[in-house]
Amino acid sequence: MFCLPPVLPDFIRQPPTPSGHCPTLHTGNSIQIRAPREKIFALVSDLDRWPELLPHYRRIQTLGTGEKGSIVHMAATRSGIPISWTSEYWTDERALELHFLHLRKWTKGMKVVWTLTPTRDGTRVEIIHDMKFRIPLLAWLAEPIISGFFIENIANKTLATFKAHLEQE
């Protein structure tokens, strides 16, 4: 069993880990916001407003419709470095969750879930990113770049900015 289709050269293919899985990325970023989860969900689920509210987001463009939701092209910056990705985006209004599935490029297959958990003091907002590396041989290099350099920075800025907007109202 290989993590990649056998059409790739042997030097790129790598056997799965002993547990039978390809190397994975799993990150979680969270923040406590003093606001009810319904109010938070109403704001964060409106992707059209993100570039207006989040200075590090350059644009979000709806490209069409997928199986579960909208296909969106998202563009942000990380310390002046422009980045972009395409995802299928949908919400679960019953659970008050946001879901993204990255469709292209280096992060293809990445699943992103926003959860909103009520607490005594408001709501804990958490963004979870999960991805199996398609080229396991490069996981050691890709993981700190994708996770540490891009996801951590952008997710934390996004959460902090939404917190500031919601708590100042």
Side-chain angles (χ1 to χ4, degrees):
M1 174 176 158
F2 288 97
C3 298
L4 291 173
V7 295
L8 294 170
D10 287 334
F11 71 91
I12 293 178
R13 290 185 290 148
Q14 179 176 328
T17 62
S19 66
H21 296 91
C22 295
T24 60
L25 173 146
H26 175 82
T27 66
N29 302 76
S30 65
I31 200 165
Q32 180 72 23
I33 300 177
R34 287 186 311 273
R37 63 194 287 246
E38 295 79 11
K39 183 177 180 178
I40 296 168
F41 181 79
L43 182 65
V44 302
S45 65
D46 186 357
L47 292 190
D48 292 335
R49 293 197 61 203
W50 282 29
E52 160 199 338
L53 298 171
L54 304 169
H56 56 289
Y57 269 82
R58 298 179 291 138
R59 71 180 173 283
I60 296 179
Q61 177 184 9
T62 301
L63 303 176
T65 304
E67 287 182 31
K68 295 182 178 182
S70 300
I71 305 300
V72 294
H73 181 75
M74 305 177 79
T77 58
R78 196 285 188 214
S79 302
I81 301 169
I83 61 166
S84 65
W85 60 97
T86 302
S87 297
E88 183 170 8
Y89 164 69
W90 67 96
T91 60
D92 180 338
E93 295 192 15
R94 194 170 43 84
L96 297 182
E97 292 179 345
L98 281 65
H99 295 264
F100 298 86
L101 175 63
H102 287 221
L103 301 174
R104 299 185 184 131
K105 299 183 182 178
W106 288 100
T107 59
K108 181 178 180 177
M110 180 184 293
K111 296 175 184 176
V112 182
V113 179
W114 286 55
T115 59
L116 310 176
T117 307
T119 67
R120 247 182 326 171
D121 302 324
T123 304
R124 180 175 187 258
V125 181
E126 184 172 28
I127 307 172
I128 300 292
H129 291 79
D130 283 306
M131 181 176 85
K132 288 183 182 171
F133 288 101
R134 292 177 290 134
I135 305 175
L137 184 65
L138 299 177
W140 68 272
L141 176 63
E143 195 278 335
I145 295 169
I146 293 170
S147 177
F149 191 76
F150 288 109
I151 291 173
E152 185 176 326
N153 180 276
I154 291 171
N156 285 338
K157 279 184 196 172
T158 300
L159 290 170
T161 306
F162 276 132
K163 175 183 174 81
H165 283 293
L166 286 154
E167 290 185 356
Q168 105 187 121
E169 291 179 0

